[in-house]
Amino acid sequence: MYLPEKFERKMQDILGDEYQEYVDCYEAPRYYGLRVNTKKISVEDFVRICPFEIRPIPWIENGFYYDGAQISPAKHPYYAAGLYYLQEPSAMTPANRLPVEPGDRVLDVCAAPGGKATELGAKLQGQGVLVANDISSSRAKGLLKNIEMFGIGNVLVLSEEPGRLVEYFRGYFDKILIDAPCSGEGMFRKDKKMVKAWEEHGPEFFSKLQRSIITQAAEMLRPGGMLLYSTCTFDGLENEGTIGYLLEQYPEFTIEEIRPYEGFCAGMPGLWRKDIPDLKKTVRIFPHKMKGEGHYIALLRKNGEHEMMSGGSKKRPKKLAEELEAFLAQVNWEKAGIDFKREQLEFHGERVYYMPENLPDMAGIRFLRTGLLMGELKKNRFEPSQALAMCLNMDAYGDCISLPVDDDRVVRYLKGETLDVEDVTGMKKKGWHLFCVDGYPLGWGKLASGTLKNKYLPGWRWQS
């Protein structure tokens, strides 16, 4: 495989005697991975029902390898149910090693397409708030779909410059993840087009962006909070150099130990102009050392006294339309994992949202979604949303239709077809039903006389 001469010289300096072993790994096939959504299913249960062969990724508790040359997991109904996300194995490491706890306020600064954000949201288990931001509004649309498919409702999906977020969220977050835009040297094997992109925009170009993003993120982290910085490159300027720059500008930050794995390599202080010994606590992942592509991660803590922030004024419960009241009464919110409070409902036109608590004033911010879109109030009726369906489970909603994965009506539902379900429901039942595969929600349908009118979101439907 072609590698630029300048890049080869750099890697020879970094790897020394291991350089040839590194070059040889380019002849090996890339690795494919999937990550289990632990908000919806335990790892043990997923292994039991998984329809294709998987092997554990040893440093990721909910990660597995699969043979991407032979199978397409994205074309299985369990994928549509949000039971897993497809992600390169090394790329699972940043969100895995950021110690997020339920109730945290979490920011993913450069979140699209959602590989890290979906894991951070799953770790929150419906508590606290996830702010997932991406400067590209087109990429943020894909991010929103992945977050909704995962059943994450305590979320804001934004599309802003990181610097603009500081105006709204200064000192707000407990945990921040930055998967920074980078020169992509670690992805050359996975995507050959990255080599040409590297020749056009190399480490010097991206280093300026990274320094801007990480210092802006530093302003949004509360004292005592933790920040994880990651790239998919090998360059010292982009990796150790960015962390060294942060420490110069914000001396209250310290580098933390990262939970180890035998294949991890220590950071290299010598690649930065100042020798900061603690840079050895950062982690480099090399593709000739582990079954994954190249990556870099650094975990930092912002030291200082933490003062609790109220984040917003108390809201009064609103009087609700009868149709909405009737629907909400059918949901067992405790079993849905949602601490439901009526005062957290907001209305924008016909749309009804359930908002996370203690948010700052966000007037003027560019967003694709604030909170969980519950549905829409039409004339004399309430229509629940696709996002709400994905947040529920069979225990949380009384009227459910669950079919086994090998029933052809499951795929027909995903294609948007009307279904005959009289054998499951009888003729008398009617109204909104949660349609599930093996007990895991896919979306809504409206039942009448044994026929289910398909309400699966049109933009999500499978093509025939």
Side-chain angles (χ1 to χ4, degrees):
M1 163 178 177
Y2 165 73
L3 294 171
E5 185 180 341
K6 183 179 177 182
F7 172 74
E8 288 187 314
R9 288 200 305 271
K10 176 172 66 180
M11 294 306 293
Q12 287 169 357
D13 290 341
I14 289 173
L15 293 172
D17 293 342
E18 293 181 14
Y19 176 71
Q20 189 57 49
E21 191 181 349
Y22 163 75
V23 171
D24 291 344
C25 84
Y26 277 86
E27 303 305 315
R30 56 164 290 195
Y31 291 94
Y32 293 84
L34 69 81
R35 197 192 68 248
V36 177
N37 180 3
T38 52
K39 185 176 185 293
K40 287 181 176 278
I41 187 172
S42 70
V43 172
E44 294 76 20
D45 285 346
F46 179 76
V47 169
R48 183 175 50 80
I49 67 168
C50 184
F52 37 79
E53 186 179 343
I54 52 176
R55 294 174 292 111
I57 298 172
W59 71 97
I60 306 290
E61 302 84 359
N62 58 332
F64 294 87
Y65 295 106
Y66 69 92
D67 186 351
Q70 300 295 323
I71 57 174
S72 300
K75 295 179 180 178
H76 194 278
Y78 290 163
Y79 179 80
L83 300 192
Y84 54 86
Y85 186 93
L86 303 182
Q87 189 174 26
E88 191 279 316
S90 293
M92 297 180 191
T93 314
N96 179 273
R97 291 309 199 261
L98 180 61
V100 169
E101 301 291 338
D104 279 347
R105 298 170 175 178
V106 181
L107 170 64
D108 188 346
V109 182
C110 311
K116 279 80 175 176
T118 48
E119 174 66 4
L120 298 174
K123 283 182 168 185
L124 287 174
Q125 292 293 315
Q127 303 172 48
V129 62
L130 169 67
V131 177
N133 178 70
D134 201 274
I135 192 172
S136 164
S137 58
S138 59
R139 282 168 54 83
K141 289 174 185 174
L143 166 67
L144 173 61
K145 178 182 177 181
N146 285 323
I147 285 174
E148 289 188 336
M149 192 178 287
F150 250 52
I152 298 163
N154 52 325
V155 67
L156 308 178
V157 179
L158 311 179
S159 183
E160 281 288 4
E161 293 258 6
R164 186 127 193 283
L165 296 180
V166 179
E167 301 171 27
Y168 298 88
F169 294 107
R170 189 180 300 276
Y172 180 84
F173 294 103
D174 301 298
K175 309 284 165 59
I176 296 179
L177 189 145
I178 305 169
D179 186 35
C182 69
S183 60
E185 295 170 351
M187 294 292 140
F188 285 179
R189 176 173 65 174
K190 178 185 171 187
D191 186 355
K192 307 295 189 288
K193 294 191 295 293
M194 292 299 297
V195 177
K196 189 173 189 304
W198 183 90
E199 292 179 312
E200 293 173 1
H201 292 297
E204 294 78 11
F205 172 83
F206 285 101
S207 173
K208 294 172 185 173
L209 278 175
Q210 293 153 356
R211 292 181 178 199
S212 173
I213 291 169
I214 200 169
T215 50
Q216 290 159 352
E219 296 283 348
M220 293 185 276
L221 190 66
R222 69 161 175 83
M226 301 187 81
L227 182 152
L228 191 139
Y229 173 84
S230 70
T231 72
C232 56
T233 197
F234 302 120
D235 192 83
L237 184 64
E238 297 183 73
N239 294 338
E240 290 87 353
T242 301
I243 302 305
Y245 178 79
L246 175 69
L247 298 178
E248 286 180 347
Q249 301 299 312
Y250 291 85
E252 66 268 32
F253 276 82
T254 53
I255 300 173
E256 298 285 301
E257 296 280 358
I258 293 171
R259 182 159 49 87
Y261 172 68
E262 60 185 357
F264 289 171
C265 294
M268 298 180 170
L271 297 181
W272 173 236
R273 69 173 188 267
K274 284 191 175 180
D275 189 32
I276 304 171
D278 274 1
L279 285 169
K280 290 181 180 177
K281 295 179 182 177
T282 67
V283 167
R284 285 175 162 266
I285 295 176
F286 290 106
H288 66 290
K289 294 275 195 180
M290 292 172 63
K291 293 180 178 178
E293 307 306 322
H295 241 77
Y296 175 82
I297 56 174
L299 183 62
L300 301 108
R301 184 182 298 276
K302 185 178 185 178
N303 297 296
E305 290 297 316
H306 173 44
E307 295 181 11
M308 291 299 292
M309 299 174 63
S310 64
S313 58
K314 280 280 185 184
K315 302 174 184 177
R316 291 185 178 181
K318 303 171 180 67
K319 182 171 174 54
L320 306 181
E322 289 182 13
E323 301 83 9
L324 179 57
E325 285 274 22
F327 183 87
L328 295 178
Q330 296 179 65
V331 180
N332 186 322
W333 296 104
E334 184 179 355
K335 290 186 176 177
I338 297 173
D339 182 18
F340 187 78
K341 298 173 182 174
R342 293 163 63 99
E343 60 266 29
Q344 296 305 119
L345 290 171
E346 287 193 4
F347 301 84
H348 299 279
E350 295 180 333
R351 292 188 158 198
V352 183
Y353 296 86
Y354 188 74
M355 300 295 292
E357 290 188 276
N358 299 319
L359 294 174
D361 180 4
M362 295 185 295
I365 205 165
R366 281 195 307 175
F367 60 84
L368 276 76
R369 178 75 78 245
T370 52
L372 169 61
L373 174 60
M374 304 278 283
E376 297 187 22
L377 277 166
K378 305 283 190 178
K379 188 177 180 182
N380 298 323
R381 69 185 192 276
F382 173 72
E383 296 192 354
S385 73
Q386 180 70 42
L388 178 59
M390 303 307 287
C391 278
L392 298 178
N393 54 62
M394 285 189 65
D395 292 330
Y397 190 76
D399 292 331
C400 296
I401 298 169
S402 182
L403 298 178
V405 70
D406 56 1
D407 190 311
D408 73 325
R409 287 174 292 185
V410 170
V411 170
R412 286 170 53 207
Y413 174 82
L414 292 169
K415 290 180 177 180
E417 296 180 20
T418 298
L419 303 178
D420 181 351
V421 290
E422 182 186 348
D423 59 316
V424 182
T425 64
M427 292 292 287
K428 292 183 179 180
K429 278 197 161 189
K430 62 180 183 178
W432 290 99
H433 280 61
L434 190 61
F435 188 86
C436 306
V437 55
D438 288 335
Y440 299 100
L442 291 172
W444 297 105
K446 204 161 188 184
L447 183 66
S449 302
T451 299
L452 189 74
K453 186 177 180 182
N454 197 307
K455 296 293 184 177
Y456 191 54
L457 191 67
W460 288 20
R461 290 177 182 175
W462 289 13
Q463 301 302 308
S464 296

